[in-house]
Amino acid sequence: RARISELGVMRVVLPLTVALVALTSLTYVGAQGSFHYDEPDEEYDDDYVIDEEAENKFRAQRLHDDAMKMAIDGRELESLPMFAQAAQLDPENSGFWSDLGVTQMRTNNLDAALQSFQVADEILPGQKLIQDNLNALQEHFDWREKQAAAAEDDEGVSTQGGTETLAKEL
């Protein structure tokens, strides 16, 4: 008889326990579904939102990664605005500024590259990669100056030769 009454109690308690758990679960799910929508006049609770700085860093990293893939594929001009946006979204990331500078240098936008490398150097002074990039940029500036000087010399010679030829004809 004791065994029968234990089974009888179990038959009653077990279904009640299952029903109680199910009811609790349904109530919890229902309350979770109305989060922040049932009181539209109250301010939004920022505790449940990633802060803006973290969101910007996340977006910047994704942009940078996509830009890097494009640049590696030889599409530097297409990647340039993405590198710039990544640097703007996470302005304290020296790597973003440095990669922007490299891309600007590769697209022959040397003055902008200098500015980007200088920002990177301000964030992380003396970092070897940034210094190497600045040195490479200086080589580009030196080459550009030599080309400009050679072009001036060529113009001077042709003008002078033209003047001499014109004088002989007169």
Side-chain angles (χ1 to χ4, degrees), residues 51-61 86 88-90:
D51 64 48
E52 186 176 345
E53 182 180 354
E55 177 69 21
N56 284 343
K57 286 182 181 205
F58 175 77
R59 288 179 48 223
Q61 186 64 56
Q88 292 298 318
L89 286 170
D90 189 1

Side-chain angles (χ1 to χ4, degrees), residues 15-26:
L16 286 175
T17 305
V18 170
L20 184 59
V21 168
L23 183 60
T24 304
S25 297
L26 288 175

Side-chain angles (χ1 to χ4, degrees), residues 22-150:
L23 183 60
T24 304
S25 297
L26 288 175
T27 303
Y28 177 70
V29 170
Q32 196 175 29
S34 63
F35 185 67
H36 284 296
Y37 293 104
D38 53 349
E39 297 176 8
D41 294 335
E42 291 187 11
E43 289 186 22
Y44 188 72
D45 189 354
D46 289 338
D47 292 339
Y48 295 99
V49 178
I50 298 174
D51 64 48
E52 186 176 345
E53 182 180 354
E55 177 69 21
N56 284 343
K57 286 182 181 205
F58 175 77
R59 288 179 48 223
Q61 186 64 56
R62 288 188 61 189
L63 277 167
H64 178 268
D65 292 348
D66 291 344
M68 188 62 76
K69 290 175 189 172
M70 294 175 107
I72 289 170
D73 285 343
R75 300 177 351 199
E76 284 94 356
L77 281 174
E78 291 176 65
S79 69
L80 196 54
M82 295 169 73
F83 278 120
Q85 190 175 6
Q88 292 298 318
L89 286 170
D90 189 1
E92 295 301 313
N93 189 318
S94 65
F96 291 175
W97 286 103
S98 182
D99 290 342
L100 173 60
V102 168
T103 307
Q104 290 165 326
M105 185 168 53
R106 289 182 179 178
T107 57
N108 205 28
N109 194 350
L110 304 184
D111 297 320
L114 178 60
Q115 291 175 349
S116 295
F117 289 140
Q118 287 173 336
V119 171
D121 192 47
E122 287 175 18
I123 295 167
L124 198 61
Q127 202 265 345
K128 183 176 178 359
L129 181 62
I130 296 169
Q131 297 308 309
D132 290 346
N133 287 335
L134 282 165
N135 291 335
L137 180 62
Q138 186 59 52
E139 290 177 19
H140 281 275
F141 278 124
D142 293 345
W143 181 84
R144 185 169 75 175
E145 285 178 23
K146 287 178 186 175
Q147 294 295 22

